[in-house]
Amino acid sequence: MSARLQRFRGIARRAQRGIAMIESLIAILILGIALVGTLGLQARSMAALSDAGLRAEATIAANQLLGIMNTDIANAGAYAVAKTATPGERLAPWYAGVRERIPGATIQIAVTPTAGTTRTEVDIVIGWQRTTDSQVNQHQVTSYLSPAT
């Protein structure tokens, strides 16, 4: 090999020193960014899962109340409650159960007889806020009760 070729190879080797270290650092940086993104997605999915669980509880509670009211249609008006009001005697056990399963829930129930029919419209609105800095969620169910003929 000529001296010129050996000198060229020596320069090329020196120029390559540290490249593997730089590549490794770049790979670690990219991996770090990906892990932070994954953690963010995990946190958002946990929040969505929690909200979905509370929405399911609200749906179950509304259906439970409609079942109770359906067996007591004559006293349907006694189940009405404003958002900040204290529930009546008939509604109190259900109300307490919902507030146990959905902490801090706001409950509003409107019972409106439909004019010219035997039907009664029932609007149940259950609201909750998962954390103090999260948005207020609300689940509304509207149903009609009618006495058996």
Side-chain angles (χ1 to χ4, degrees), residues 31-76:
L31 179 63
I33 291 169
L35 287 175
V36 168
T38 302
L39 289 174
L41 286 174
Q42 181 70 21
R44 289 184 64 89
S45 70
M46 291 300 288
L49 181 63
S50 177
D51 282 338
L54 292 173
R55 187 169 305 281
E57 286 292 341
T59 301
I60 291 167
N63 285 335
Q64 182 185 29
L65 179 62
L66 289 170
I68 292 168
M69 291 176 73
N70 198 37
T71 61
D72 193 19
I73 292 177
N75 299 308

Side-chain angles (χ1 to χ4, degrees), residues 14-114:
R14 275 183 259 141
Q16 293 292 319
R17 286 187 184 160
I19 294 295
M21 180 65 81
I22 291 173
E23 288 176 351
S24 298
L25 290 174
I26 291 172
I28 290 171
L29 177 68
I30 292 171
L31 179 63
I33 291 169
L35 287 175
V36 168
T38 302
L39 289 174
L41 286 174
Q42 181 70 21
R44 289 184 64 89
S45 70
M46 291 300 288
L49 181 63
S50 177
D51 282 338
L54 292 173
R55 187 169 305 281
E57 286 292 341
T59 301
I60 291 167
N63 285 335
Q64 182 185 29
L65 179 62
L66 289 170
I68 292 168
M69 291 176 73
N70 198 37
T71 61
D72 193 19
I73 292 177
N75 299 308
Y79 293 93
V81 67
K83 194 173 194 174
T84 58
T86 304
E89 182 182 329
R90 291 182 186 279
L91 186 61
W94 175 86
Y95 190 94
V98 171
R99 300 265 313 190
E100 232 176 75
R101 292 190 310 265
I102 305 173
T106 58
I107 300 168
Q108 179 180 352
I109 302 167
V111 180
T112 311
T114 306

Side-chain angles (χ1 to χ4, degrees), residues 77-146:
Y79 293 93
V81 67
K83 194 173 194 174
T84 58
T86 304
E89 182 182 329
R90 291 182 186 279
L91 186 61
W94 175 86
Y95 190 94
V98 171
R99 300 265 313 190
E100 232 176 75
R101 292 190 310 265
I102 305 173
T106 58
I107 300 168
Q108 179 180 352
I109 302 167
V111 180
T112 311
T114 306
T117 67
T118 59
R119 293 186 327 171
T120 301
E121 181 178 339
V122 179
D123 289 308
I124 303 168
V125 180
I126 301 173
W128 67 91
Q129 191 170 6
R130 193 173 36 79
T131 60
T132 55
D133 60 340
S134 66
Q135 71 180 24
V136 177
N137 292 298
Q138 182 173 296
H139 185 65
Q140 180 173 354
V141 173
T142 300
S143 186
Y144 294 90
L145 301 177
S146 183

